Amino acid sequence: MKKPLILAVDDDPQVLAAITRDLRQEFRQHYRLLPVGSGPEALATLDALRARAEPLALVLADQRMPEVEGVEVLTRARELFPEAKRVLLTAYADTTAAIRAINSAQLDYYLLKPWDPPEQLFYPTLRDLLASWQATYRPAYDGLRLLGYQWSPRSHALKDFLSGYLVGYQWLDFEQDAEARTLLAATGFSAQELPVVIYRDGQAVAQPERQELARHLGLLAAARQELYDVVIVGAGPAGLAAAVYGASEGLRTLLIERQTPGGQAGSSSRIENYLGFPTGLSGSELTHRAWTQATRLGAELMAPQEVTSLAVQDGYKLLTLSDGSQVRARAVVLTMGVSYRTLQAPGLARLSGAGVYYGAARTEARSCRAQPVFVVGGGNSAGQAAMYLSGFASRVYIVIRGGSLAASMSAYLIEQLTQTPNVEILPYTQVCEACGESSLEAVVVQAEGQESVCYPARALFIFIGTRPSTEWISSLALCDPKGFLLTGRELLADSRFAQAWLEPREPHLLETSIPGLFAAGDGRSGAMARVASAVGEGSMAIKFVHQYLGE
């Protein structure tokens, strides 16, 4: 953490050197000293310190300076750093002006020059002032900041991205936080250019693209090797498990993720039925552990990057990425998983990212404090989101088409929900409309055989149905009618298999209709929608990769 600053201002170089010497002798262990040689320079320095959110503890300014007097410097310091202590340095003849300044500029003290010896005439006063400042000082946040509008889809997308990669950041709502407006003015950007990201080094970027943000955060943007033993597409639980086992077994392993790691599991607020964690863990925590483990073992993780097509050339797999670059591999494991289906009702598309969210309960929960929210869906992801939101929202409504949650949700979650007083389940109900101008204000729902009802709502979180993320590969590898990848023995039952499979052997258990192309996790036909089974399939896929490479 940065040491707080003491700013000393005097236009006389000899006097400034003496002040700096005395300050350094007594306070350098706990404070940084910043000498400035003129009033205008001091004003510019104060603006720069405020823009960088530097902690300023004390300002000492000489009164008699050309262009800008000491009182003006201290007045500006009070505007930008109201908690900082302000001391005017003055000669005996200027004491009347100093006394007046105590009232007009609300100075904390004035000191007469010279102050020899400083042990008696200088240090005691400054020690008292600094002790008073320290008593109320709260270190400012010095990490990445995100300035924006709470109900802006662009702001939501950036929050979701940063949260997905477990990047610590401070969110500042431009409409609610005065600090956000001050910081934005210091960056030189306008309100129309929000959202703005301010990095730890002070660099500010307006409306950054995900790739630009990823590069600044140190994420891998391009492949480092010409040929990999295995490339894994998708960093959900299955993909992360495959990366861990592939790297640990000596394979040159690359994992490519187009959005954020963890997949649907990564957005889960609490997973309580995963083996080995009796008190449960969040999806982001599980993702972070697996990501760290894979990296430590030598896997390369490229993100955010999307694979747009795959071709087979002489047995090698050639993957083309969204930026036009290509990656070559001997084998590929597809672990793209699934994505939530969009809900069709008036107003939902228009308010997406502005109160209507697909997943994202952890990202936006704090914005719903003491407000009613709706969760649509009856699966475990919906239940986990509802439990998490119940700690923030005044009331959580779970909207389901069926009569109960028993058919699609784990028993432990149902029990928790029924015991939570501010959670209400609305059975046989569907969302008819989302209402609001710039953000969600109300939700219209209708139960079977009843009139529609309009509820006030701050947010609507949607967790309905899933579809496989296989659009880009379905023309090459065989899929079932719903788009899930066929593998292993399921291929043998498909009439198209005889024309697609040209190898003398049967396909391996998790192998698709393309030799050396494997599938694991929720995007595979017949897979179980559970974190543990996805991890198991990702691990198994590496065993079959080894068998394929050894043929």
Side-chain angles (χ1 to χ4, degrees):
M1 187 174 295
K2 295 179 180 178
K3 292 180 182 179
L5 277 163
I6 296 177
L7 178 65
V9 188
D10 200 304
D11 65 315
D12 187 325
Q14 291 184 337
V15 175
L16 184 61
I19 297 172
T20 305
R21 179 199 64 218
D22 290 345
L23 290 171
R24 182 173 290 115
Q25 180 176 330
E26 179 67 14
F27 300 109
R28 64 183 176 184
Q29 183 176 354
H30 301 293
Y31 298 89
R32 291 175 291 156
L33 307 177
L34 183 58
V36 173
S38 71
E41 184 184 355
L43 296 180
T45 300
L46 287 169
D47 288 337
L49 294 177
R50 184 66 185 87
R52 299 200 303 267
E54 294 278 5
L56 182 63
L58 175 67
V59 183
L60 301 98
D62 181 49
Q63 169 60 11
R64 287 198 175 186
M65 295 186 294
E67 299 182 76
V68 177
E69 292 185 336
V71 171
E72 294 180 63
V73 172
L74 297 176
T75 301
R76 181 60 174 163
R78 178 173 172 265
E79 295 172 357
L80 297 179
F81 298 91
E83 303 302 324
K85 299 302 179 181
R86 299 171 297 282
V87 176
L88 187 69
L89 306 178
T90 182
Y92 181 79
D94 295 325
T95 54
T96 302
I99 293 171
R100 286 200 305 268
I102 290 177
N103 296 324
S104 62
Q106 297 188 14
L107 303 184
D108 293 291
Y109 212 84
Y110 73 90
L111 288 171
L112 295 177
K113 299 187 294 185
W115 44 68
D116 192 33
E119 289 78 9
Q120 296 179 16
L121 304 176
F122 190 54
Y123 296 151
T125 298
L126 298 189
R127 286 196 204 103
D128 288 344
L129 290 173
L130 290 171
S132 176
W133 179 83
Q134 285 282 5
T136 58
Y137 169 60
R138 297 294 180 269
Y141 181 80
D142 64 350
L144 185 147
R145 290 180 170 86
L146 175 59
L147 318 179
Y149 295 103
Q150 174 60 51
W151 307 114
S152 159
R154 280 181 174 270
S155 296
H156 166 68
L158 288 176
K159 286 191 287 184
D160 219 28
F161 179 83
L162 292 170
S163 299
Y165 285 95
L166 295 180
V167 177
Y169 69 95
Q170 182 185 46
W171 161 250
L172 295 170
D173 186 347
F174 183 77
E175 294 179 314
Q176 301 294 327
D177 298 314
E179 184 181 1
R181 295 188 284 274
T182 302
L183 288 171
L184 183 65
T187 66
F189 292 116
S190 68
Q192 288 70 38
E193 295 174 283
L194 289 170
V196 169
V197 171
I198 303 176
Y199 296 114
R200 190 169 187 173
D201 60 6
Q203 178 187 351
V205 181
Q207 300 181 6
E209 296 294 333
R210 291 188 309 161
Q211 286 74 13
E212 178 184 4
L213 194 56
R215 284 193 297 270
H216 194 96
L217 297 174
L219 297 174
L220 181 63
R224 293 174 178 164
Q225 302 184 48
E226 293 185 1
L227 177 66
Y228 291 89
D229 294 318
V230 60
V231 170
I232 303 154
V233 184
L240 288 167
V244 167
Y245 278 86
S248 68
E249 295 177 14
L251 298 178
R252 290 170 294 179
T253 303
L254 174 67
L255 175 60
I256 303 174
E257 170 56 44
R258 66 175 180 173
Q259 295 179 338
T260 54
Q264 287 188 325
S267 64
S268 295
S269 54
R270 203 74 184 163
I271 302 171
E272 297 193 50
N273 57 356
Y274 189 66
L275 183 66
F277 293 88
T279 60
L281 77 168
S282 68
S284 60
E285 183 182 1
L286 177 63
T287 299
H288 178 65
R289 292 185 182 207
W291 181 285
T292 303
Q293 187 177 18
T295 304
R296 182 181 65 82
L297 292 170
E300 295 179 22
L301 285 79
M302 185 191 302
Q305 187 61 269
E306 183 176 5
V307 178
T308 57
S309 65
L310 183 148
V312 180
Q313 297 179 353
D314 299 325
Y316 293 100
K317 315 300 183 291
L318 186 65
L319 297 99
T320 301
L321 309 182
S322 56
D323 62 0
S325 62
Q326 293 185 321
V327 175
R328 295 175 69 238
R330 300 172 65 196
V332 172
V333 180
L334 302 177
T335 56
M336 295 89 64
V338 295
S339 57
Y340 292 115
R341 294 187 183 276
T342 56
L343 186 61
Q344 302 301 315
L348 291 178
R350 180 174 56 85
L351 295 173
S352 180
V356 175
Y357 306 108
Y358 290 87
R362 290 182 61 86
T363 305
E364 299 294 346
R366 295 184 185 279
S367 67
C368 304
R369 192 178 296 279
Q371 301 279 345
V373 301
F374 279 73
V375 174
V376 182
N380 278 0
S381 294
Q384 290 157 356
M387 283 302 304
Y388 184 74
L389 290 164
S390 68
F392 299 89
S394 60
R395 194 155 193 82
V396 180
Y397 298 94
I398 302 177
V399 179
I400 56 174
R401 288 179 177 271
S404 74
L405 298 170
S408 55
M409 189 178 292
S410 296
Y412 78 91
L413 262 178
I414 297 175
E415 182 179 359
Q416 289 179 358
L417 291 169
T418 55
Q419 293 177 355
T420 305
N422 64 334
V423 173
E424 181 178 346
I425 301 170
L426 303 179
Y428 300 114
T429 303
Q430 58 184 334
V431 173
C432 301
E433 185 179 0
C435 307
E437 292 298 324
S438 58
S439 65
L440 182 71
E441 299 173 7
V443 171
V444 179
V445 300
Q446 184 176 23
E448 284 186 10
Q450 300 182 23
E451 295 291 328
S452 61
V453 180
C454 182
Y455 290 86
R458 182 75 282 180
L460 173 66
F461 299 90
I462 301 171
F463 300 85
I464 60 167
T466 56
R467 57 181 177 82
S469 303
T470 57
E471 302 91 345
W472 63 276
I473 195 68
S474 58
S475 61
L476 182 65
L478 296 181
C479 298
D480 68 14
K482 294 183 178 181
F484 292 89
L485 287 160
L486 294 170
T487 58
R489 293 183 178 177
E490 288 191 346
L491 286 167
L492 303 178
D494 193 289
S495 60
R496 299 168 294 171
F497 174 69
Q499 292 79 31
W501 187 260
L502 303 178
E503 297 295 307
R505 61 171 175 83
E506 288 189 359
H508 296 296
L509 182 61
L510 298 179
E511 196 169 19
T512 70
S513 58
I514 306 299
L517 179 65
F518 301 85
D522 291 354
R524 188 183 69 82
S525 179
M528 295 178 61
R530 290 291 183 269
V531 175
S533 62
V535 169
E537 287 193 9
S539 308
M540 289 169 54
I542 298 302
K543 167 184 169 58
F544 300 121
V545 167
H546 275 296
Q547 293 181 3
Y548 168 76
L549 296 179
E551 292 173 354

